Amino acid sequence: GARFAYRSRDMDGYMENLTLGTDEPGRDEETIRLTVAWDVNPDMDVTLKVEHSEFDVTGRQIEIVEEEPAAGSGLTYSQILAVGAGGLFTPQDPSVLNNTQDFKRSSNGDFSNNTTDNITLTANYDLGDNVITIIAASNSYDYEELCDCDFTGANVFSLLSEEDYEQYSFEARITSAVGETFEYIGGIYYQDSDLEFNDNFFVDSNSILINAVNAQQPGAGNLISDIVVPRDFQQDAELWSAFLQVTWNIATDWRLTFGGRFSSEDKSASRVLDVTNIDGSPIVPPALKAGVEAVLAGVFGFETQNLSGDRTEDNFAPSITAEWDAAEDLMLYANASQGFKSGGYDVRSNATPDSVIITPPGSFEYEEEEALSFEVGAKTTLLDGAAELNVAVFFT
């Protein structure tokens, strides 16, 4: 058997971009999926699912509201942009003056183009009273995004980012028949993933930042004219785990369920942040680059860096649940379980963890998290099945 599905969705924006005269955010989405199912024999079936999706977004739904006047001048940010800060720079598009919540915004333009691909192969095999299931899958996505991240129609700066992710996984598990004294499900899981991310912060020669910085530090603004700050992040992660859950049907109305999952994960990552001319060529001589770096650190909190790290984590997460059918329409339960989330690496911090020039310093590696949860509750059926009432109390 086979099934083909197609989905299309278009949406015009519900906010007006006063700078460009467009409606934002506009969305254009398309998804196709093909599923093929094959009953190989009475004991085995195989299903293959392939899906491709694209969604593009033009513009954003961000508008500036409730501005506070700047100290000294008494003008808001929008007013400063509109008048050119008393001749410091060219007055910007009048749309920057809109600072009320009226579904109108000011921007030079934003976009986000996204693609996802998923392939999943599932096989089930009846082995006596047990079912063996094997799942192999690949998942990937990529996007390209332009952010006018000063969120106004003024020429301040732009940020272009790209991300590419690929993941491959394999799972094998065995499930017992239900209704026996002991019921169980157990298996193994493996996952390998690669992540690549980069963004580029641009300041072109017409940016109002140049004169604004020059007013504070004469000549400093000229140093950041026509520069780009590229950041590259790469991470490889490998995970495997083994899991088992057993239910002991002590009596027709009493059950105990024990579960556990052991996992081991390896991650390696690197993050490089540099500054170059806007065409990508190196800034020379070194003294000039050092001056550019000093301005970026003082104005934006950017710090050139070349960081890398490796980490390995092992964890065992147990769980226990007791259930009692107190009546035909009432089940009481209690559960205690432990959860785990592995640590990793920060993609976008602008400074290093040991920075002495930026306060507070940045980050690169973060640690794992563990949570211990307790829950008691009741599940009830009311009015001969016409309604349900469930109650739970938990502490984590």
Side-chain angles (χ1 to χ4, degrees), residues 18-79:
L18 298 174
T19 312
L20 302 178
T22 57
D23 292 332
E24 300 178 357
R27 295 182 68 92
D28 183 6
E29 306 176 11
E30 281 190 308
T31 302
I32 57 174
R33 181 194 303 131
L34 176 65
T35 307
V36 179
W38 179 27
D39 290 334
V40 181
N41 56 49
D43 297 323
M44 184 176 182
D45 64 79
V46 178
T47 303
L48 174 66
K49 181 175 73 174
V50 181
E51 181 178 285
H52 175 79
S53 179
E54 298 180 5
F55 65 96
D56 301 330
V57 183
T58 304
R60 293 177 182 265
Q61 68 274 24
I62 296 176
E63 56 178 323
I64 294 179
V65 300
E66 298 182 8
E67 288 184 277
E68 296 289 338
S73 69
L75 300 176
T76 66
Y77 179 54
S78 297
Q79 292 169 333

Side-chain angles (χ1 to χ4, degrees), residues 179-183 246-258 320-325:
E180 304 295 329
T181 302
F182 291 96
E183 303 169 7
V246 178
T247 298
W248 178 20
N249 295 301
I250 302 172
T252 56
D253 56 352
W254 272 101
R255 293 173 298 280
L256 278 178
T257 300
F258 305 91
I320 181 171
T321 303
E323 298 176 341
W324 175 40
D325 297 328

Side-chain angles (χ1 to χ4, degrees), residues 26 88 190 263 320 332 334:
L88 185 61
Y190 174 81
S263 61
I320 181 171
L332 306 176

Side-chain angles (χ1 to χ4, degrees), residues 196-321:
E196 295 183 9
F197 172 86
N198 68 79
D199 62 9
N200 294 273
F201 173 87
F202 293 92
V203 179
D204 65 36
S205 58
N206 295 319
S207 171
I208 65 173
L209 280 173
I210 296 170
N211 287 338
V213 173
N214 280 336
Q216 301 295 321
Q217 304 176 53
N222 298 329
L223 294 176
I224 59 172
S225 174
D226 277 338
I227 59 99
V228 60
V229 181
R231 170 180 17 221
D232 290 291
F233 176 89
Q234 295 190 358
Q235 176 178 279
D236 298 323
E238 188 175 38
L239 163 73
W240 72 268
S241 67
F243 53 90
L244 176 65
Q245 177 176 292
V246 178
T247 298
W248 178 20
N249 295 301
I250 302 172
T252 56
D253 56 352
W254 272 101
R255 293 173 298 280
L256 278 178
T257 300
F258 305 91
R261 180 178 186 267
F262 177 82
S263 61
S264 179
E265 185 169 22
D266 297 317
K267 285 183 180 177
S268 61
S270 64
R271 189 178 74 207
V272 179
L273 191 148
D274 200 2
V275 57
T276 70
N277 292 310
I278 204 163
D279 60 2
S281 61
I283 297 176
V284 291
L288 176 60
K289 184 177 181 181
V292 175
E293 293 175 348
V295 175
L296 290 172
V299 177
F300 299 107
F302 279 128
E303 180 181 27
T304 58
Q305 54 193 264
N306 189 344
L307 303 172
S308 62
D310 297 276
R311 58 184 295 124
T312 299
E313 293 171 301
D314 297 329
N315 174 262
F316 177 72
S319 173
I320 181 171
T321 303

Side-chain angles (χ1 to χ4, degrees), residues 28-213:
D28 183 6
E29 306 176 11
E30 281 190 308
T31 302
I32 57 174
R33 181 194 303 131
L34 176 65
T35 307
V36 179
W38 179 27
D39 290 334
V40 181
N41 56 49
D43 297 323
M44 184 176 182
D45 64 79
V46 178
T47 303
L48 174 66
K49 181 175 73 174
V50 181
E51 181 178 285
H52 175 79
S53 179
E54 298 180 5
F55 65 96
D56 301 330
V57 183
T58 304
R60 293 177 182 265
Q61 68 274 24
I62 296 176
E63 56 178 323
I64 294 179
V65 300
E66 298 182 8
E67 288 184 277
E68 296 289 338
S73 69
L75 300 176
T76 66
Y77 179 54
S78 297
Q79 292 169 333
I80 292 172
L81 294 176
V83 301
L88 185 61
F89 51 80
T90 303
Q92 301 298 292
D93 191 282
S95 62
V96 300
L97 284 170
N98 183 277
N99 60 2
T100 57
Q101 188 173 342
D102 54 4
F103 297 95
K104 300 179 188 295
R105 68 185 303 252
S106 169
S107 170
N108 292 309
D110 310 77
F111 67 81
S112 179
N113 299 328
N114 304 260
T115 302
T116 65
D117 289 286
N118 302 289
I119 302 174
T120 305
L121 178 67
T122 304
N124 297 296
Y125 180 70
D126 295 334
L127 183 63
D129 293 331
N130 300 310
V131 177
I132 296 177
T133 301
I134 294 177
I135 303 173
S138 70
N139 302 275
S140 64
Y141 71 81
D142 62 76
Y143 73 75
E144 182 181 22
E145 184 171 287
L146 177 67
C147 177
D148 184 14
C149 284
D150 58 90
F151 304 116
T152 75
N155 183 358
V156 188
F157 64 87
S158 296
L159 186 71
L160 179 67
S161 60
E162 297 176 315
E163 187 167 319
D164 194 330
Y165 178 80
E166 294 183 349
Q167 172 186 300
Y168 302 93
S169 62
F170 176 83
E171 179 176 344
R173 64 175 184 256
I174 183 169
T175 307
S176 69
V178 298
E180 304 295 329
T181 302
F182 291 96
E183 303 169 7
Y184 57 85
I185 178 172
I188 58 173
Y189 178 81
Y190 174 81
Q191 177 182 298
D192 182 83
S193 64
D194 297 302
L195 172 66
E196 295 183 9
F197 172 86
N198 68 79
D199 62 9
N200 294 273
F201 173 87
F202 293 92
V203 179
D204 65 36
S205 58
N206 295 319
S207 171
I208 65 173
L209 280 173
I210 296 170
N211 287 338
V213 173

